[in-house]
Amino acid sequence: MQFTAEHAKWGRVDITLDDLGCGRSWEEIHRVRGVELVCPECGGQVHARVSKLGTRHLYHRSRPPSCSLANESLEHHLLKLELVTCARAAGFRAELEVAADTREWRADVMVFNADGTRLMALEAQLSPITPEEIAARTELYERDGVGVCWFGLRPRPWVGTVPTLLVQAPEEQGQMWTVTAGLARLSRRPVSWSPVGASLSDAVAWMLTGQIVPHKPLSSSRVTNEGEWYEWADGWTRFWNDSWRLWWTAPAYTALDADCAREAAESRRRREEEEKAEARQRVEKARKKAAKDRVYAAFWARTGLDKKRWKYVRAMAEMYFGIPLVFGAPDARYGDGRPVYERSGPDGEQWTLIGVACPDPSRLRAWAEELFLLVPSHADLAILAGRAWAPFQVYVLDPYTGEMDQERVLPLPVSP
């Protein structure tokens, strides 16, 4: 069953047109003896007839095994007929079974621009074909500047790898062909694609007039229906990991998708920068902690104290002086001793440096003349006294005995 043929004098014959596309009528070829029509593919003789369903068509007198037109299924022919009807209803010139000059492709339906140039091929693809084969055929159309959409009736491994619409034939007379998969719209909040139902005639008109375009999703590759995972977008074709790579949508949605993708990319970039900054902060924090740990380890080793004894020293100091105190970390500026601050102000936010706890006696500087020195034992007091070059105010707070004492250390007299 097919719809086109060649006549030696009339040229191309298309029985889906009232004038057969050549200024003739159906009555001139149907049951008329002597009319010689041949198949445009195999050159075999064909004849006109009407099917039991009332469909006009052409048939081979002897079916050749290698002619694809002769071996197309009824479903294929009905879908081709519907596609050409939809294209013509949309106001376009459309012809069936149009081949390239090079014979590298033959479109089931070729739609033409007003200037006669080829606009789009509408392909009914019902027979088995691999994704690689259909991709190669699509590339041939693209090479020749022709758009293409492949129409199927059920999921296949190739579906969604090229511009695709799945359609459904009407169940009863008077009903329309409908699109079951391949049309989607984009919602912004949250960013998600949702399926769009349409008649086949509307979908064909939209694609021919540019109201929908094939689009590879950028911001989201999912199509959901009211928040639920939708079967055709899940990619169920034949294998679990098959997926629709592109679908038809309005240009406004492609622009919105690009905006959402840019926003998502910027969000990822900011998140990555934040993660890098946090990682740098963690590294810096770890570095500072390690440095601090080394400083404290040296302090504990030099003074013979530990954290528990140090708590006693702090408690004794606050009790002895009767004022709130803050002890800083060991500081090289104060001979690796711990600076002692008096905390004042309404909320204790003002700190005033008043002394240094446990400085290294060999590293005393001028600050020792102005600030009091706090040591944990009289042995430390004696060492400081041996290094005094000016009067020092020293406090002994012994965490082992609980003894608290103060003494003004004077420099040793110089021998004559």
Side-chain angles (χ1 to χ4, degrees):
M1 178 186 287
Q2 62 192 74
F3 301 106
T4 62
E6 296 287 340
H7 188 275
K9 294 182 179 179
W10 302 344
R12 178 183 170 84
V13 175
D14 185 339
I15 64 172
T16 65
L17 297 171
D18 292 337
D19 67 349
L20 306 187
C22 59
R24 300 291 173 167
S25 67
W26 173 255
E27 288 72 21
E28 292 181 73
I29 64 172
H30 184 228
R31 295 183 175 178
V32 175
R33 291 182 179 275
V35 177
E36 294 187 2
L37 300 175
V38 297
C39 174
E41 181 172 329
C42 68
Q45 190 172 9
V46 295
H47 302 278
R49 71 180 177 188
V50 179
S51 72
K52 295 179 180 180
L53 298 177
T55 303
R56 296 176 178 179
H57 65 276
L58 301 170
Y59 70 98
H60 283 69
R61 184 172 185 176
S62 298
R63 175 176 290 183
S66 60
C67 180
S68 61
L69 289 177
N71 293 292
E72 287 178 346
S73 67
L74 176 60
E75 282 184 324
H76 192 124
H77 287 288
L78 292 178
L79 179 51
K80 282 200 308 185
L81 184 59
E82 183 63 23
L83 290 173
V84 76
T85 301
C86 291
R88 290 167 180 169
F92 289 84
R93 172 190 158 205
E95 296 182 6
L96 286 158
E97 300 155 3
V98 175
D101 296 337
T102 60
R103 314 301 291 182
E104 290 180 281
W105 51 258
R106 189 191 74 246
D108 287 332
V109 177
M110 179 59 68
V111 185
F112 295 86
N113 290 302
D115 61 3
T117 57
R118 293 162 175 163
L119 172 63
M120 180 174 288
L122 308 179
E123 289 281 9
Q125 186 59 47
L126 307 186
S127 59
I129 189 172
T130 68
E132 293 75 20
E133 290 171 333
I134 204 167
R137 291 176 61 183
T138 300
E139 289 174 1
L140 290 176
Y141 282 119
E142 293 175 348
R143 182 203 62 187
D144 293 343
V146 181
V148 63
C149 181
W150 301 87
F151 296 82
L153 297 179
R154 57 190 62 85
R156 299 293 187 195
W158 60 266
V159 167
T161 64
V162 291
T164 306
L165 286 181
L166 292 186
V167 298
Q168 181 174 324
E171 296 180 358
E172 298 179 5
Q173 189 173 3
Q175 293 181 337
M176 297 184 299
W177 285 72
T178 56
V179 174
T180 59
L183 280 173
R185 63 166 61 91
L186 182 64
S187 300
R188 192 180 185 93
R189 292 183 175 82
V191 177
S192 62
W193 292 91
S194 56
V196 175
S199 66
L200 179 56
S201 60
D202 282 343
V204 169
W206 294 341
M207 68 174 59
L208 295 178
T209 55
Q211 296 180 69
I212 58 174
V213 293
H215 175 65
K216 181 176 292 186
L218 302 173
S219 58
S220 173
S221 60
R222 290 186 175 186
V223 173
T224 57
N225 191 8
E226 297 180 354
E228 297 296 329
W229 193 272
Y230 196 61
E231 184 176 87
W232 74 261
D234 184 16
W236 183 82
T237 53
R238 181 179 175 185
F239 304 107
W240 70 270
N241 59 348
D242 287 340
S243 63
W244 286 66
R245 300 176 190 172
L246 71 166
W247 42 75
W248 291 86
T249 192
Y253 291 129
T254 68
L256 178 59
D257 192 24
D259 290 340
C260 292
R262 282 192 294 270
E263 291 176 4
E266 178 61 22
S267 177
R268 286 194 299 271
R269 187 194 64 78
R270 289 196 300 267
R271 184 167 61 251
E272 289 172 359
E273 288 297 323
E274 290 172 357
E275 290 174 354
K276 289 179 181 177
E278 291 174 357
R280 288 193 297 268
Q281 291 174 358
R282 288 194 296 270
V283 170
E284 181 62 15
K285 185 177 180 181
R287 186 192 66 78
K288 290 182 177 179
K289 182 179 183 302
K292 184 178 179 181
D293 290 344
R294 287 194 297 271
V295 168
Y296 273 102
F299 180 82
W300 303 133
R302 180 175 58 80
T303 60
L305 298 172
D306 55 26
K307 291 182 179 180
K308 181 178 179 181
R309 297 299 175 183
W310 181 253
K311 289 181 180 179
Y312 294 154
V313 172
R314 290 184 59 175
M316 293 170 66
E318 289 202 334
M319 181 175 63
Y320 187 86
F321 292 105
I323 55 176
L325 298 176
V326 175
F327 290 81
D331 195 324
R333 293 173 300 174
Y334 302 106
D336 292 332
R338 299 186 63 172
V340 183
Y341 301 91
E342 178 185 0
R343 191 171 58 192
S344 60
D347 299 316
E349 74 282 2
Q350 297 177 3
W351 292 7
T352 303
L353 181 63
I354 60 175
V356 177
C358 304
D360 184 342
S362 65
R363 301 186 61 190
L364 300 178
R365 297 293 183 268
W367 44 264
E369 302 174 24
E370 303 172 0
L371 305 173
F372 72 71
L373 305 179
L374 190 154
V375 296
S377 69
H378 281 85
D380 294 309
L381 171 62
I383 295 173
L384 288 177
R387 292 183 175 271
W389 65 82
F392 296 162
Q393 187 68 27
V394 182
Y395 293 86
V396 178
L397 302 176
D398 192 329
Y400 294 94
T401 65
E403 179 182 359
M404 295 182 288
D405 195 7
Q406 71 175 70
E407 185 171 333
R408 188 169 179 80
V409 175
L410 300 178
L412 295 175
V414 179
S415 302

